[in-house]
Amino acid sequence: MAEAFLTRRSGFSAARHFHIPSMTGDEAERTYGHTGAHGHDYLIDLTIRGAIDPVTGMVENLDTMKEVLRREVADHLDAVFLNRDIPFFGKNAPTLENLALYVHRRLESRYGEALHAVALAEEEDYRVELRAGREEMYVTRTYRFCAGHRLHRPELSDEENRACFGKCNNPNGHGHNYRLEITVAGGVDERTGKVCRAGDLDDVARREVIDYLDHRNLNEDIEEFRDLNPTAENIARVAWERLGERPGGAALYRVRVYETDRNVADYYGR
Ligand SMILES: [Zn+2]
């Protein structure tokens, strides 16, 4: 059946702390980073699916989506202290994952089968997503590095190289400010409220990819690119292979590389 997907963004700000009765202070620090009372601006993307109405040309009126987001999310969660004001977070750690589960449940009661995805971002570099029909939650962390490269293949003539790689074929090389997203997938641990510890994923990502590639000449300095063209696709693939199957403790799902804001490659290694 043909169908369309419609996404509407909304936001709210909420406060929380991580004092978990069954955890020592040290364990909580390791699990959550900052445990004291603090707040975040959250961004939510609600995606619904359905047939396009033949008269209005819409899946749903955006004003209705706006109203549902206001009633079910913003009015309910904006300017609250999650642990104290929302009973669910008296029992469950107020992690981004649990907040996404909570918001998803409220929106599901309104949309049922039409609810396709709920994505929630806590800051620019930390985002989780729940999708219809998938048990696992997707957790994405974003990192940045700078590196130089030259796209050039000896099998091709100089003219073919220029035609194929354009500016990236410049004989003396050039650089990019790369953005790299790592997405892992898994169930939310009942005790910690997390798919994996963000700090553990960050440690692996920095050691294996970011520190390894940052401020390098990819062609000259990086073993993997001795005979492999350092395109965004191949950078994503090398990152995938170096990260291993479960970086930080959850299954690797996708590596995404932005060479520029307008040029992005995704790699799925399985
Ligand atoms: Zn380039």
Side-chain angles (χ1 to χ4, degrees):
M1 186 194 78
E3 60 182 348
F5 297 80
L6 189 62
T7 300
R8 170 83 196 175
R9 175 168 286 189
S10 179
F12 62 94
S13 304
R16 64 183 182 185
H17 65 62
F18 289 111
H19 296 153
I20 312 295
S22 65
M23 265 186 211
T24 63
D26 276 356
E27 191 189 353
E29 285 286 335
R30 264 203 326 278
T31 305
Y32 306 113
H34 186 57
T35 58
H38 62 283
H40 285 288
D41 294 330
Y42 294 94
L43 276 182
I44 173 170
D45 287 324
L46 160 66
T47 303
I48 60 166
R49 67 198 299 170
I52 301 175
D53 184 285
V55 176
T56 64
M58 296 168 166
V59 173
E60 176 164 85
N61 191 315
L62 274 173
D63 276 347
T64 312
M65 282 179 90
K66 211 164 128 184
E67 174 58 21
V68 170
L69 280 164
R70 192 184 61 71
R71 200 179 57 240
E72 297 298 333
V73 184
D75 280 2
H76 184 65
L77 292 172
D78 194 40
V80 304
F81 199 109
L82 294 169
N83 308 68
R84 290 175 204 146
D85 297 331
I86 307 291
F88 178 81
F89 297 109
K91 302 187 202 91
N92 300 284
T95 57
L96 188 61
E97 287 93 327
N98 274 341
L99 198 49
L101 285 172
Y102 182 74
V103 166
H104 186 272
R105 199 175 295 168
R106 289 181 71 84
L107 292 168
E108 201 174 31
S109 68
R110 165 63 177 77
Y111 282 111
E113 300 259 294
L115 179 61
H116 176 65
V118 171
L120 195 61
E122 182 172 286
E123 47 195 76
E124 200 187 337
D125 298 341
Y126 188 15
R127 176 184 165 97
V128 302
E129 188 178 355
L130 277 162
R131 295 182 200 160
R134 302 288 181 94
E135 287 286 307
E136 65 271 60
M137 185 172 292
Y138 299 87
V139 177
T140 301
R141 300 279 289 173
T142 304
Y143 309 89
R144 288 163 184 79
F145 67 94
C146 317
H149 75 167
R150 184 191 185 204
L151 301 184
H152 182 87
R153 291 306 300 173
E155 303 90 316
L156 304 177
S157 69
D158 286 353
E159 199 178 315
E160 287 168 328
N161 267 299
R162 272 195 300 277
C164 191
F165 303 120
K167 280 186 185 170
C168 284
N169 184 239
N170 181 39
N172 295 319
H174 63 281
H176 291 284
N177 292 319
Y178 290 94
R179 208 157 83 232
L180 185 131
E181 289 182 4
I182 297 173
T183 301
V184 295
V188 178
D189 182 90
E190 229 168 82
R191 180 163 168 269
T192 63
K194 300 197 67 66
V195 169
C196 69
R197 282 185 190 143
D200 290 354
L201 178 55
D202 291 351
D203 287 347
V204 180
R206 294 211 175 94
R207 188 182 66 234
E208 294 300 327
V209 182
I210 307 305
D211 292 351
Y212 183 63
L213 300 179
D214 191 39
H215 283 73
R216 303 285 166 172
N217 178 320
L218 299 178
N219 307 65
E220 304 287 328
D221 299 335
I222 303 299
E223 183 65 37
E224 285 91 335
F225 295 116
R226 287 274 154 79
D227 194 38
L228 186 68
N229 217 17
T231 57
E233 297 91 310
N234 274 334
I235 293 170
R237 175 174 160 194
V238 164
W240 176 285
E241 279 155 14
R242 293 184 61 84
L243 285 166
E245 285 186 12
R246 298 180 63 79
L252 186 56
Y253 172 71
R254 182 187 72 201
V255 176
R256 171 173 283 179
V257 172
Y258 289 85
E259 191 174 74
T260 69
D261 279 339
R262 289 189 276 190
N263 177 12
V264 54
D266 285 340
Y267 187 78
Y268 298 84
R270 61 166 174 271

